[in-house]
Amino acid sequence: MARRGREMGKGRLRKETQSAFSQLPFQNLKIPYQPYNIISDDQIEAIHDASMDVLEQIGINFLLDEARDILKQAGADVREGETRVRFERGMVEELVAKAPSEFTMHARNPAHNIQFGANNINFALVASPPNASDMIGGRRAGNMTDFLDFIKLGQSLNITHMIGGYPVEPADLPANTRHLTAEREVIKLSDKVSFGYSLGRDRIHDSMEMIRIGRGVSWDQMKNEPSIMTTVNANSPLQYDIPMLIGMIEMATHGQPVSVTPFTLAGAMAPVTLAGALAQQNAEALAGIAFIQAVNPGSPVWYGGFTSNVDMKTGAPAFGTPEYAKAVLIGGQLTRRYGVPYRSSNVNASNAPDVQSAYESQMSIWPCMLGHANLVKHALGWLEGGLCASFEKVIIDAEMLQMMAEVMKPVEINDAEFGLSAIEEVGPGGHYFGCAHTMERYETAFYSPMLSDWQNFENWQEAGSLDATTRAHNIYKQLLADFVPPALDPAVAEELDHFVERRIAEGGQDPNSYGERK
Amino acid sequence: MARRGREMGKGRLRKETQSAFSQLPFQNLKIPYQPYNIISDDQIEAIHDASMDVLEQIGINFLLDEARDILKQAGADVREGETRVRFERGMVEELVAKAPSEFTMHARNPAHNIQFGANNINFALVASPPNASDMIGGRRAGNMTDFLDFIKLGQSLNITHMIGGYPVEPADLPANTRHLTAEREVIKLSDKVSFGYSLGRDRIHDSMEMIRIGRGVSWDQMKNEPSIMTTVNANSPLQYDIPMLIGMIEMATHGQPVSVTPFTLAGAMAPVTLAGALAQQNAEALAGIAFIQAVNPGSPVWYGGFTSNVDMKTGAPAFGTPEYAKAVLIGGQLTRRYGVPYRSSNVNASNAPDVQSAYESQMSIWPCMLGHANLVKHALGWLEGGLCASFEKVIIDAEMLQMMAEVMKPVEINDAEFGLSAIEEVGPGGHYFGCAHTMERYETAFYSPMLSDWQNFENWQEAGSLDATTRAHNIYKQLLADFVPPALDPAVAEELDHFVERRIAEGGQDPNSYGERK
């Protein structure tokens, strides 16, 4: 260090080999800046009113009998022989107000607990694509090998706060027992907050049970400590289907948080205007949240925004568009009106981990920060509008998210930081490489990238002219090679194995049935 | 259209061939949202105070005798035999207050006039790299052929508001007459606002004269209609050299705007802290602006911010970093305190037009919009921290800037946009492809990209699996093939040719001399 210091003092910085891999520590990130509002409070009220008109006059289909019974009990307008449920606006607001504005999710490793609501922001690994790809192996159908590798990356990369679903569908596992086999491995390979899918009563219940065993807590404790998340998408427009409603009931009954996320693609499943799509998003999200509060008042939820648009030339869905950016920002304004945590996503529609994937993602990441999204799903690895999980994109996203984490680090403004004596010491025409003010701070002064290459052109060329996607490939391979699973109490592992083996022996759950109420 | 409409009504959108190239019209862009402030007013005052301490106690070197005479006359502390000039803070604030808060720049084509100050934002083509590159031809030293091609792209792409300098140095032209030969071609190939370099009295005067001839106006009119821009960089730390000061004097005397831009790389030419680098930036920028106002009160300027950081491992400059993003935002807050237009840049340090170049650029473009930068230099084509102009990056940037332009298009919130009757008509589980609300709007509802490809994977693969950088290459080639020069009055062209030929015959200007005061 002293030698280095002297060299810096001479103003000739030695070119050092870049360290193989450096990353920020795991952090509970908070956005220190005000939310960025792009429409007025009056305009937010207008969207609210339009969505209340939808709920009062048009209504939402709730396809599960039990769900309609719950809503009728709560005072909704449920008519005999109709699946359509209409909601009086006062009732909706009253129910939504019961949802907590903040909650903590508990991980298997308490150091990885995470907070939602207020100005907290958390990044979840890509969830649910049917395909996986890397630039050497190409694109292939989802499988367990890739699934495990993605989980390892999610665990290794500190910027990943949680596993938000199957990072890719392990389609080579039998459907009846897939959730058991796959989620057991998630619990073993990762000690971060995890997920379950709302695809029938047995499955979501199995998922809760595995997480409970992994954490080594009782059902009573678990009920007070949200530990597993699920996402429920409305079947936009204006419909909640049976598996989703069962999932909401099961999760809410056990105090586990649900991301209620209408998928309102403007021009396809929602009006072709942002105003219309957001009014519909708001109606669907609030109906879902109100339903959950009717099941179990105070059960945690996220208001999920997923309004994007289609390419009107082809009908293809588009993501990370300017319209998406604005929908994310307005979605944040809406959630703040209701005082519920906000869930958004890091999206793009590119078919390759190329510049399009990067700039469309940035059109998501900046609005998520600016709009105070508390949960950013698909934050690492999403490609092709969600049809593919990309290994290189995981690394590209990790770098972009780390950069955003550093943007959120408040600038220190004080006399020691100004360093006027250093400015005086260096004087006109000098340089700051060797002065004391620099030497005291240089090691931690700036963000140190994991993927970006700042070598000059000649050195970069000499090192093989590797573009950032190629470097991302090499980094993910190295991370997998270096992976060490997190500690797990052998007794817990054994209990988990026993449960999974028993449930597999019982046949898991028929994906075409919904299972029995627990 | 009717046939298309019926097809949409059936919900099966016909896959259409994507049109070769579409772009937004030329627009005077305004940022409709509030500036995004990341530090408090008190913290801004603290930076202001620190910079005033620098100006009062440490001072700035002004290396030109004439400049020190002007400053002495204006009341600065100029001591016999010293190049260091110290400024009393009241004097600085008084002079800076004389700078206009808004001004218009006049283009050869009045339809391309542009506004600075307030919430206007304008994008300028890359300026000054010594190298050019494209992915097929590779990287080469700056030359006139590439120079001309970049100018053509700047003219063709409507999102380019101005040409901000040599897009690449035409180093194959003789140095003495380079500015004459090169800038004549700029005026012929582009009718947008243009530039001159502050590299000696004769050269900047020649540049002004060529622009004046191109516009067909008198010197009197030109003096009241800013028509040519130049950038002046402090030789940070704390120094203005002779050619820059001559440029400032010549431009200010003729009422032409100067971007006063300290290049404060934290850890190298400025303190290793953002607070220190920004205090130094502020001192240097205000000293330069005050000097210009001493030369000619009311002459237009931009407050230029260019604070980034070096890689402390290697000393390499880094751009588009989280620190850069914060410096851009705080720079905006500072300029609003002084009421002067703000100039920033779209930067990155990548060696290739790859994902790094895209995400680092986004770390510039978002802060430029959020911080209300009025002039974004290097907005299209910058690579390698300014050492290379990339043809593909021009197209990538054009797409990213167009997307930002669309983000800045306010969302319409009203009953017609909500389309509640459409929501009712479509109902639960339906789709919006064919309803009247969609059909009336679908052609212009959403941003239509120039570079992004939203085809599904199979179609994209069938079309050759072209990544976005490769598509950008094809687009720029096509734009060059399609280029048509803008109209130019033959009499004006003739006058321009006469002037240039006369000045070439006179020998242009020796780059090692500063020329005589006009």
Side-chain angles (χ1 to χ4, degrees):
Chain A
M1 205 48 56
R3 194 177 62 78
R4 169 88 174 279
R6 279 196 302 277
E7 287 195 3
M8 295 184 77
K10 285 186 235 142
R12 283 181 283 112
L13 284 176
R14 195 158 55 87
K15 176 81 199 141
E16 296 197 357
T17 313
Q18 248 165 345
S19 66
F21 185 74
S22 69
Q23 65 171 329
L24 300 179
F26 183 91
Q27 304 170 75
N28 283 310
L29 293 170
K30 285 175 193 296
I31 306 163
Y33 314 125
Q34 289 300 303
Y36 190 66
N37 296 337
I38 64 165
I39 64 174
S40 69
D41 289 348
D42 286 350
Q43 289 176 312
I44 287 291
E45 274 322 287
I47 295 176
H48 169 77
D49 283 339
S51 67
M52 291 299 132
D53 288 345
V54 170
L55 291 177
E56 283 187 343
Q57 295 158 28
I58 304 172
I60 307 254
N61 279 5
F62 281 74
L63 300 185
L64 179 74
D65 297 347
E66 182 188 353
R68 290 195 303 281
D69 291 346
I70 292 167
L71 286 169
K72 189 169 189 175
Q73 198 73 27
D77 176 4
V78 180
R79 301 171 193 174
E80 196 55 39
E82 266 192 43
T83 54
R84 193 83 70 97
V85 178
R86 292 168 188 82
F87 300 78
E88 187 270 314
R89 62 189 68 204
M91 173 206 169
V92 174
E93 292 223 56
E94 212 171 285
L95 281 171
V96 169
K98 295 183 198 290
S101 57
E102 299 185 38
F103 61 90
T104 297
M105 285 201 75
H106 295 258
R108 182 158 84 64
N109 174 357
H112 288 161
N113 289 358
I114 49 183
Q115 276 83 48
F116 293 97
N119 61 341
N120 296 287
I121 185 166
N122 297 284
F123 302 124
L125 192 64
V126 57
S128 310
N131 302 289
S133 78
D134 73 274
M135 62 186 284
I136 304 297
R139 187 181 190 254
R140 59 262 185 184
N143 62 82
M144 192 59 180
T145 306
D146 287 327
F147 175 99
L148 295 174
D149 284 346
F150 279 110
I151 297 295
K152 289 174 186 172
L153 293 179
Q155 173 66 14
S156 298
L157 290 162
N158 293 330
I159 199 70
T160 312
H161 291 96
M162 63 186 287
I163 312 296
Y166 297 156
V168 66
E169 184 76 27
D172 49 351
L173 299 182
N176 283 22
T177 56
R178 185 179 300 165
H179 65 291
L180 296 161
T181 314
E183 292 173 30
R184 168 170 60 177
E185 294 310 314
V186 174
I187 294 167
K188 289 187 172 179
L189 292 174
S190 168
D191 60 6
K192 296 180 180 177
V193 165
S194 187
F195 68 96
Y197 280 96
S198 291
L199 293 168
R201 249 182 253 280
D202 289 341
R203 272 196 274 188
I204 192 67
H205 205 270
D206 286 340
S207 299
M208 285 191 275
E209 177 67 6
M210 287 188 278
I211 299 274
R212 187 193 66 73
I213 295 170
R215 285 196 58 215
V217 297
S218 68
W219 273 105
D220 274 354
Q221 187 176 346
M222 174 106 158
K223 201 164 172 178
N224 293 314
E225 294 182 349
S227 309
I228 172 173
M229 79 90 64
T230 198
T231 294
V232 157
N233 296 119
N235 306 97
S236 305
L238 307 180
Q239 192 154 273
Y240 281 99
D241 68 18
I242 293 173
M244 290 291 152
L245 289 165
I246 290 174
M248 289 156 104
I249 293 169
E250 286 298 321
M251 289 285 280
T253 304
H254 295 88
Q256 301 306 310
V258 177
S259 172
V260 182
T261 311
F263 184 31
T264 33
L265 266 182
M269 294 98 90
V272 75
T273 58
L274 265 192
L278 285 164
Q280 186 185 310
Q281 168 189 295
N282 204 52
E284 293 174 2
L286 294 185
I289 291 169
F291 172 69
I292 286 171
Q293 299 309 312
V295 171
N296 180 11
S299 196
V301 295
W302 294 270
Y303 178 118
F306 215 136
T307 291
S308 192
N309 58 287
V310 296
D311 177 356
M312 293 311 292
K313 291 198 200 77
T314 64
F319 298 97
T321 61
E323 292 79 12
Y324 180 85
K326 290 189 274 195
V328 171
L329 292 168
I330 297 172
Q333 292 186 248
L334 287 166
T335 59
R336 286 188 288 284
R337 184 195 185 287
Y338 305 114
V340 285
Y342 182 32
R343 169 257 156 113
S344 185
S345 304
N346 173 15
V347 296
N348 71 89
S350 186
N351 288 299
D354 62 357
V355 298
Q356 179 184 337
S357 77
Y359 64 67
E360 288 182 338
S361 270
Q362 289 284 341
M363 278 275 156
S364 317
I365 295 171
W366 272 96
C368 282
M369 188 281 280
L370 294 167
H372 283 206
N374 303 117
L375 167 57
V376 182
K377 279 205 75 177
H378 312 299
L380 302 99
W382 222 62
L383 212 62
E384 283 183 37
L387 295 178
C388 190
S390 155
F391 283 103
E392 289 86 9
K393 189 64 170 26
V394 168
I395 304 301
I396 294 165
D397 283 325
E399 178 77 304
M400 297 196 296
L401 296 173
Q402 286 205 151
M403 290 170 76
M404 189 52 77
E406 287 287 301
V407 168
M408 292 188 281
K409 204 165 82 178
V411 177
E412 283 183 71
I413 310 277
N414 57 52
D415 286 346
E417 291 286 298
F418 285 135
L420 290 190
S421 59
I423 296 178
E424 184 149 29
E425 175 194 336
V426 168
H431 67 76
Y432 289 79
F433 285 126
C435 71
H437 191 256
T438 301
M439 297 312 297
E440 287 157 12
R441 293 168 173 81
Y442 80 94
E443 286 182 288
T444 56
F446 308 124
Y447 173 62
S448 183
M450 64 162 67
L451 172 62
S452 298
D453 187 327
W454 295 338
Q455 296 184 88
N456 66 31
F457 183 81
E458 291 73 19
N459 289 343
W460 174 78
Q461 201 174 31
E462 210 173 289
S465 303
L466 305 183
D467 70 13
T469 302
T470 307
R471 298 196 305 272
H473 181 88
N474 296 341
I475 290 171
Y476 103 75
K477 287 285 191 190
Q478 190 60 47
L479 281 178
L480 289 182
D482 294 347
F483 181 76
V484 178
L488 179 64
D489 181 341
V492 168
E494 197 180 341
E495 188 182 350
L496 188 60
D497 286 337
H498 282 164
F499 173 78
V500 168
E501 280 150 28
R502 172 170 68 76
R503 289 287 298 122
I504 289 176
E506 290 169 6
Q509 185 195 312
D510 179 352
N512 298 315
S513 94
Y514 302 126
E516 296 305 311
R517 179 89 195 248
K518 305 281 165 186
Chain B
M1 202 48 56
R3 195 178 61 80
R4 168 87 174 276
R6 279 195 302 275
E7 288 197 5
M8 294 183 79
K10 284 185 236 146
R12 282 181 283 112
L13 282 177
R14 193 159 56 87
K15 175 83 198 146
E16 296 200 355
T17 313
Q18 245 163 347
S19 65
F21 184 75
S22 69
Q23 65 172 328
L24 300 178
F26 183 92
Q27 304 172 74
N28 282 312
L29 293 170
K30 285 175 194 296
I31 306 162
Y33 315 124
Q34 289 300 303
Y36 189 65
N37 295 336
I38 63 165
I39 64 174
S40 69
D41 289 349
D42 286 349
Q43 289 176 311
I44 287 292
E45 273 324 284
I47 295 176
H48 170 77
D49 283 339
S51 67
M52 291 298 132
D53 288 344
V54 170
L55 291 177
E56 282 187 343
Q57 294 158 28
I58 304 173
I60 308 256
N61 279 4
F62 281 75
L63 300 186
L64 179 74
D65 297 347
E66 182 189 352
R68 291 196 304 280
D69 292 346
I70 292 167
L71 286 169
K72 190 167 189 176
Q73 200 72 28
D77 176 3
V78 180
R79 300 171 193 174
E80 197 55 38
E82 268 193 41
T83 53
R84 193 83 71 94
V85 177
R86 293 167 186 82
F87 300 79
E88 187 270 316
R89 64 188 67 203
M91 174 205 167
V92 175
E93 292 224 56
E94 212 170 283
L95 282 171
V96 169
K98 294 182 197 292
S101 58
E102 299 185 38
F103 60 90
T104 297
M105 283 199 77
H106 296 259
R108 183 158 86 62
N109 174 358
H112 288 161
N113 289 357
I114 49 183
Q115 277 83 48
F116 293 97
N119 61 341
N120 295 288
I121 185 166
N122 298 284
F123 303 124
L125 192 63
V126 57
S128 311
N131 302 290
S133 78
D134 74 275
M135 62 186 287
I136 305 298
R139 187 183 193 251
R140 58 265 183 183
N143 62 81
M144 192 59 180
T145 307
D146 286 327
F147 175 100
L148 296 174
D149 285 346
F150 279 111
I151 297 294
K152 289 174 187 172
L153 294 179
Q155 174 66 14
S156 298
L157 290 162
N158 293 332
I159 198 70
T160 312
H161 291 97
M162 63 187 287
I163 312 295
Y166 298 157
V168 66
E169 184 77 25
D172 49 350
L173 300 183
N176 284 22
T177 56
R178 185 179 300 164
H179 66 291
L180 296 160
T181 315
E183 291 172 31
R184 171 171 57 179
E185 295 309 313
V186 174
I187 294 166
K188 289 187 173 179
L189 293 174
S190 167
D191 60 6
K192 296 180 180 177
V193 166
S194 187
F195 69 95
Y197 280 97
S198 290
L199 293 167
R201 249 181 252 282
D202 290 341
R203 273 195 273 187
I204 192 67
H205 204 270
D206 286 340
S207 299
M208 285 192 272
E209 177 68 6
M210 287 189 279
I211 300 273
R212 187 193 66 74
I213 294 169
R215 287 196 55 216
V217 297
S218 67
W219 273 106
D220 275 354
Q221 188 176 346
M222 174 107 158
K223 200 164 172 178
N224 293 314
E225 293 183 350
S227 307
I228 172 172
M229 80 89 64
T230 199
T231 294
V232 158
N233 295 119
N235 303 98
S236 303
L238 307 180
Q239 191 154 273
Y240 281 99
D241 68 17
I242 293 173
M244 291 289 153
L245 289 165
I246 290 174
M248 289 156 104
I249 293 170
E250 286 299 319
M251 290 284 279
T253 303
H254 295 89
Q256 301 306 308
V258 176
S259 171
V260 182
T261 312
F263 184 32
T264 33
L265 267 182
M269 292 99 90
V272 74
T273 58
L274 264 193
L278 286 164
Q280 186 185 308
Q281 168 189 297
N282 204 51
E284 293 175 0
L286 294 185
I289 291 169
F291 172 68
I292 286 169
Q293 299 309 311
V295 171
N296 181 10
S299 196
V301 296
W302 294 269
Y303 177 119
F306 215 135
T307 292
S308 192
N309 59 287
V310 296
D311 178 356
M312 292 312 291
K313 290 199 200 77
T314 64
F319 298 97
T321 61
E323 291 79 13
Y324 180 86
K326 290 190 274 195
V328 171
L329 292 168
I330 297 172
Q333 291 186 250
L334 286 166
T335 60
R336 286 189 288 284
R337 184 194 186 287
Y338 305 115
V340 286
Y342 182 31
R343 168 257 157 111
S344 185
S345 304
N346 173 14
V347 296
N348 71 89
S350 186
N351 288 299
D354 62 356
V355 297
Q356 179 184 337
S357 78
Y359 63 67
E360 289 183 337
S361 271
Q362 289 284 341
M363 278 276 156
S364 316
I365 295 170
W366 272 97
C368 281
M369 188 281 279
L370 294 168
H372 283 208
N374 303 117
L375 167 58
V376 182
K377 279 205 75 178
H378 313 299
L380 302 100
W382 223 61
L383 212 62
E384 283 183 39
L387 294 178
C388 190
S390 156
F391 284 104
E392 289 87 9
K393 188 65 168 27
V394 168
I395 304 302
I396 294 164
D397 282 326
E399 178 79 301
M400 297 196 295
L401 296 172
Q402 286 204 152
M403 289 169 77
M404 189 52 77
E406 288 287 303
V407 168
M408 292 187 281
K409 206 165 81 180
V411 178
E412 282 183 71
I413 309 278
N414 57 52
D415 285 347
E417 292 286 299
F418 285 135
L420 290 189
S421 59
I423 295 177
E424 183 150 29
E425 174 194 336
V426 169
H431 67 78
Y432 289 80
F433 286 127
C435 72
H437 191 257
T438 301
M439 296 313 296
E440 287 158 12
R441 292 169 175 81
Y442 79 94
E443 286 183 288
T444 57
F446 308 124
Y447 172 63
S448 181
M450 63 162 69
L451 173 62
S452 297
D453 187 327
W454 295 338
Q455 294 183 87
N456 66 31
F457 183 82
E458 291 72 18
N459 289 344
W460 173 78
Q461 201 174 32
E462 210 173 289
S465 303
L466 304 183
D467 69 13
T469 302
T470 307
R471 298 195 305 271
H473 181 89
N474 297 341
I475 290 171
Y476 103 76
K477 287 285 192 192
Q478 191 59 48
L479 282 178
L480 289 181
D482 294 347
F483 182 75
V484 179
L488 179 65
D489 181 342
V492 168
E494 196 180 341
E495 189 183 349
L496 187 60
D497 287 337
H498 282 164
F499 173 77
V500 168
E501 281 149 29
R502 173 171 67 78
R503 289 286 298 121
I504 289 176
E506 290 169 5
Q509 186 197 312
D510 179 352
N512 298 313
S513 94
Y514 302 126
E516 296 305 311
R517 178 87 195 252
K518 304 282 163 188

